[in-house]
């Protein structure tokens, strides 16, 4: 497998330095990607870099994931309008351990092969370096003129953002450049990869290696992923789409990919799956003939949910997705944990009811008209129930005045009411 060609057809290549193709063809090459450790989970914005590392390893080269423990204490000005929060060491170590567990789903760390992945933390080699030592050994090799010419610095100094640029952030490119130098000297790492906004930081590293170590190193960037409508990829109204299901449930993760546009699905299936080119081309052709079947979205969401979570999580997400479309059972509903249930019914009209009143039981007709106005009148509720149009927790309500008590509560808290085929209401007992 040719690494550069693989990235090209997948739409994952933005720029790379001259000589890189020859270097990759000559020998097994070690490459790294930096990962921000400011949270204990990766989000889908990180996935492009992780997929690049995986493609690199599949092509026979050696990937290094660098956790930016030291740089996480500083903040990178690239593409950001504000300085980021600084972290303490205990938090950084926790975040590093959590991120490694997620990376293990993609990269081979333990096979013993010469190109097995490694995880490093730049805090380990930066923590004992003194300020005077750094400016003497590193700072003198890169001029201020060189650093000022970087786009990320220019934008912050030009008034585009009002906060200006702190000295801490200004030195970020030197710190990241030192990472590259350190990995070059200790692990023979000759390639740094990242998003296109990292080009300035990457080239500072290659320049530092050239000037201080008289060595040759390379940079490669991928495009920043956006949605077809120009909005930011990976962000929803509720924030980031996380890989950790404690933050983004498998159902919500699956739904994110299932609901992407046709145009985005064609791009994303190349970037976020390992399906081969002929299979993807075939899926795209099939999708264009019958777009209403959403072939691409279904396959994309299947591949990535299994890869990030598991096959059982994927199957559960598919099953749960059927709840709002009428083909799930009450048993499916009863198996849902509170977090998933809350995600599924996000946006569904909700009513609060008294748990105490349910203790002794309340007639369904009173519950759904007086306590929770699902129906405007008792006569309408009676008529729809007699016509078989009312369900509680996915089971038909046969009698309009049937007693409803706490045994109906899902997770000791919810009752799902279905009115007709498509109208749902969630009753929350408090």
């Amino acid at each position: 497998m040719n690494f550069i060609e693989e990235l090209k057809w997948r739409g994952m290549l933005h720029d790379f330095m001259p000589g890189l193709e020859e270097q990759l063809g000559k020998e097994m090459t070690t490459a790294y990607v930096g990962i921000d450790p400011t949270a204990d989970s990766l989000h889908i914005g990180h996935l492009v870099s992780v997929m690049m590392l995986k493609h690199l390893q599949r092509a026979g080269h050696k990937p290094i994931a660098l956790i930016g423990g030291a740089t996480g204490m500083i903040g990178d000005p690239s593409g950001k309008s504000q300085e980021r929060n600084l972290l303490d060491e205990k938090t950084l170590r926790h975040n590093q351990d959590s991120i490694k567990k997620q990376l293990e789903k993609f990269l081979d760390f333990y096979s013993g092969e010469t190109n097995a992945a490694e995880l490093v933390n730049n805090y380990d080699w930066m923590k004992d370096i003194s300020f005077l030592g750094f400016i003497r050994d590193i700072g003198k090799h890169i001029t201020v003129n060189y650093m000022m010419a970087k786009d990320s610095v220019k934008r912050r100094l030009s008034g585009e953002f009002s906060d200006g640029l702190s000295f801490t952030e200004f030195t970020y490119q030197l710190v990241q450049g030192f990472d590259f130098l350190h990995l070059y000297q200790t692990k023979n790492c000759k390639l740094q990869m990242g998003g296109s906004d990292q080009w300035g930081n990457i080239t500072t590293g290659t320049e530092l290696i050239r000037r201080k170590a008289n060595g040759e190193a390379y940079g490669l960037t991928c495009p920043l992923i956006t949605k077809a409508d120009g909005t930011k990829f990976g962000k929803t109204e509720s924030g980031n789409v996380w890989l950790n299901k404690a933050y983004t449930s498998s159902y919500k993760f699956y739904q994110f990919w299932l609901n992407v546009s046709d145009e985005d699905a064609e791009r994303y299936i190349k970037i976020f799956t390992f399906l081969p080119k002929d299979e993807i081309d075939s899926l795209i052709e099939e999708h264009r003939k019958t777009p209403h079947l959403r072939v691409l979205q279904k396959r994309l969401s299947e591949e990535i949910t299994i890869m990030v979570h598991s096959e059982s999580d994927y199957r559960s997400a598919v099953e749960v997705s059927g709840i709002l479309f009428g083909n799930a059972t009450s048993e499916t509903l009863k198996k849902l944990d509170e977090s998933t249930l809350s995600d599924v019914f996000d946006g569904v009209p909700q009513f609060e009811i008294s748990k105490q009143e349910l203790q002794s039981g309340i007639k369904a007709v009173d519950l759904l008209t007086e306590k929770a106005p699902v129906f405007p009148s008792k006569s309408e509720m009676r008529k729809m129930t007699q016509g078989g149009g009312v369900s509680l927790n996915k089971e038909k309500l046969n009698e309009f005045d049937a007693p409803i008590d706490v045994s109906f509560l899902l997770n000791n808290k919810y009752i799902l009411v279905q009115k007709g085929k498509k109208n749902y209401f969630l009753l929350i007992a408090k």
Side-chain angles (χ1 to χ4, degrees), residues 42-261:
L42 301 173
H43 53 72
I44 59 175
H46 292 110
L47 269 182
V48 185
S49 295
V50 176
M51 298 297 274
M52 282 202 301
L53 287 176
K54 179 62 176 177
H55 287 303
L56 181 92
Q57 191 171 44
R58 291 172 77 211
H61 303 291
K62 184 179 178 68
I64 294 177
L66 181 145
I67 300 294
T71 37
M73 290 180 168
I74 297 174
D76 176 6
S78 304
K80 298 178 180 68
S81 58
Q82 295 178 329
E83 209 165 329
R84 69 167 59 139
N85 294 330
L86 310 185
L87 304 174
D88 59 70
E89 186 177 356
K90 184 181 176 186
T91 304
L92 284 167
R93 293 300 181 191
H94 165 72
N95 292 355
Q96 173 184 323
D97 292 343
S98 302
I99 288 169
K100 185 172 185 187
K101 286 188 178 72
Q102 293 180 329
L103 290 173
E104 286 169 2
K105 293 192 172 185
F106 297 85
L107 302 174
D108 163 28
F109 283 91
Y110 304 113
S111 68
E113 297 290 333
T114 52
N115 72 328
E118 288 186 45
L119 183 116
V120 296
N121 188 330
N122 63 6
Y123 183 73
D124 293 331
W125 58 82
M126 290 294 295
K127 64 184 177 185
D128 297 324
I129 294 177
S130 71
F131 176 69
L132 290 176
F134 187 79
I135 59 174
R136 181 192 65 213
D137 296 334
I138 304 301
K140 70 178 184 181
H141 292 285
I142 301 293
T143 67
V144 170
N145 288 1
Y146 181 89
M147 295 169 74
M148 296 278 283
K150 301 296 183 183
D151 285 343
S152 59
V153 173
K154 280 182 182 173
R155 282 199 305 272
R156 288 287 287 272
L157 292 177
S158 68
E160 186 178 331
F161 303 117
S162 58
D163 289 347
L165 182 71
S166 71
F167 173 75
T168 306
E169 288 183 292
F170 180 59
T171 58
Y172 183 92
Q173 61 176 288
L174 266 186
V175 177
Q176 185 169 324
F178 178 62
D179 285 342
F180 200 175
L181 174 65
H182 177 84
L183 292 176
Y184 176 85
Q185 291 175 324
T186 60
K187 296 187 181 293
N188 195 30
C189 179
K190 294 184 178 177
L191 172 61
Q192 183 184 169
M193 305 187 293
S196 57
D197 60 338
Q198 290 295 309
W199 185 255
N201 293 333
I202 291 172
T203 52
T204 298
T206 60
E207 185 67 7
L208 190 58
I209 288 167
R210 186 182 70 80
R211 294 186 183 190
K212 184 162 172 62
N214 196 29
E216 187 105 39
Y218 306 91
L220 179 149
T221 58
C222 61
L224 295 180
I225 307 301
T226 57
K227 294 185 193 173
D229 62 8
T231 57
K232 190 167 182 180
F233 167 76
K235 289 277 189 183
T236 64
E237 287 180 15
S238 55
N240 286 322
V241 178
W242 299 95
L243 271 54
N244 185 334
K245 59 185 175 185
Y247 302 145
T248 300
S249 69
S250 299
Y251 164 78
K252 214 164 188 177
F253 186 84
Y254 166 78
Q255 283 290 324
F256 173 84
W257 300 101
L258 191 65
N259 290 313
V260 300
S261 70

Side-chain angles (χ1 to χ4, degrees), residues 178-409:
F178 178 62
D179 285 342
F180 200 175
L181 174 65
H182 177 84
L183 292 176
Y184 176 85
Q185 291 175 324
T186 60
K187 296 187 181 293
N188 195 30
C189 179
K190 294 184 178 177
L191 172 61
Q192 183 184 169
M193 305 187 293
S196 57
D197 60 338
Q198 290 295 309
W199 185 255
N201 293 333
I202 291 172
T203 52
T204 298
T206 60
E207 185 67 7
L208 190 58
I209 288 167
R210 186 182 70 80
R211 294 186 183 190
K212 184 162 172 62
N214 196 29
E216 187 105 39
Y218 306 91
L220 179 149
T221 58
C222 61
L224 295 180
I225 307 301
T226 57
K227 294 185 193 173
D229 62 8
T231 57
K232 190 167 182 180
F233 167 76
K235 289 277 189 183
T236 64
E237 287 180 15
S238 55
N240 286 322
V241 178
W242 299 95
L243 271 54
N244 185 334
K245 59 185 175 185
Y247 302 145
T248 300
S249 69
S250 299
Y251 164 78
K252 214 164 188 177
F253 186 84
Y254 166 78
Q255 283 290 324
F256 173 84
W257 300 101
L258 191 65
N259 290 313
V260 300
S261 70
D262 289 349
E263 189 179 337
D264 286 337
E266 286 196 16
R267 288 188 303 130
Y268 294 169
I269 201 162
K270 295 174 186 174
I271 297 169
F272 298 110
T273 78
F274 295 109
L275 294 175
K277 188 175 188 303
D278 56 351
E279 188 171 352
I280 287 178
D281 289 343
S282 168
L283 285 166
I284 289 173
E285 188 181 347
E286 184 183 351
H287 181 87
R288 287 177 177 174
K289 287 177 183 171
T290 54
H292 62 285
L293 297 179
R294 299 180 69 76
V295 170
L296 279 180
Q297 286 91 338
K298 287 176 182 175
R299 188 61 187 277
L300 170 65
S301 54
E302 176 185 353
E303 291 288 324
I304 199 163
T305 304
I306 291 173
M307 182 167 62
V308 170
H309 291 186
S310 71
E311 187 156 354
S312 62
D313 285 322
Y314 161 70
R315 297 200 183 288
S316 172
V318 172
E319 192 179 10
V320 168
S321 298
I323 289 172
L324 291 179
F325 304 101
N327 56 357
T329 65
S330 60
E331 289 308 308
T332 303
L333 201 58
K334 288 169 186 171
K335 285 190 292 185
L336 296 188
D337 58 63
E338 183 171 343
S339 170
T340 304
L341 198 140
S342 175
D343 285 343
V344 172
F345 298 110
D346 184 30
V348 167
Q350 300 179 355
F351 298 108
E352 280 189 21
I353 58 173
S354 165
K355 188 181 281 189
Q356 194 173 354
E357 289 183 354
L358 285 179
Q359 299 283 356
S360 51
I362 182 172
K363 289 180 179 178
V365 65
D366 295 332
L367 177 67
L368 300 182
T369 56
E370 295 172 5
K371 307 301 178 185
V374 171
F375 291 91
S377 68
K378 292 185 177 183
S379 60
E380 184 179 323
M381 191 271 178
R382 183 188 297 115
K383 186 177 178 183
M384 187 168 272
T385 304
Q386 288 169 344
V390 181
S391 295
L392 298 185
N393 300 336
K394 304 299 288 185
E395 292 183 348
K396 281 271 188 287
L397 183 67
N398 297 317
E399 299 173 3
F400 73 93
D401 58 354
I404 309 299
D405 58 26
V406 289
S407 68
F408 280 78
L409 292 176

